[in-house]
Amino acid sequence: MTNAENQTGAQRLIGDFAPKLVALTDDVLFGDVWARTELSPRDRSLITCAALVAGGNPEQLRSHLARGLDNGLTETELKEAIIHLAFYAGWPRAMSAITVAKDVFADTKTE
């Protein structure tokens, strides 16, 4: 097994640039929320979508909104989450999220 095969997702993304950042990324993005067994997949999806909206990551939001729908969240719940986050994330991020959400919801209706 090569060293690359033993690396975590964060290590592959960040490399050895900042070991502390790698550890934080592993704990937060690739661990914490998804490792908490007390949270349902539905709750985990909502937390992840909220973080992506607040962080202004519309390109990642697309797949996570679809996963949220698969995990039991409704279109209405996801829309309300984005609307409530607008005041905290800022209008540009909220509008980007709304645009992505409209596309995702339209895609799920045509499937």
Side-chain angles (χ1 to χ4, degrees), residues 26-48:
D26 277 336
D27 293 343
V28 177
L29 296 180
F30 297 102
D32 192 39
V33 169
W34 289 98
R36 289 185 181 184
T37 56
E38 72 272 16
L39 293 175
S40 69
R42 185 180 184 283
D43 292 341
R44 294 174 193 167
S45 285
L46 186 57
I47 292 166
T48 302

Side-chain angles (χ1 to χ4, degrees), residues 25-100:
T25 304
D26 277 336
D27 293 343
V28 177
L29 296 180
F30 297 102
D32 192 39
V33 169
W34 289 98
R36 289 185 181 184
T37 56
E38 72 272 16
L39 293 175
S40 69
R42 185 180 184 283
D43 292 341
R44 294 174 193 167
S45 285
L46 186 57
I47 292 166
T48 302
C49 288
L52 292 171
V53 171
N57 299 63
E59 62 283 344
Q60 292 175 308
L61 183 60
R62 176 174 304 284
S63 61
H64 284 283
L65 284 171
R67 179 181 283 181
L69 292 170
D70 291 343
N71 286 337
L73 288 164
T74 67
E75 183 178 324
T76 301
E77 289 171 317
L78 290 166
K79 284 179 180 176
E80 287 179 7
I82 293 169
I83 291 166
H84 288 294
L85 283 165
F87 296 100
Y88 304 101
W91 289 109
R93 288 179 177 172
M95 291 309 296
S96 292
I98 288 168
T99 301
V100 169

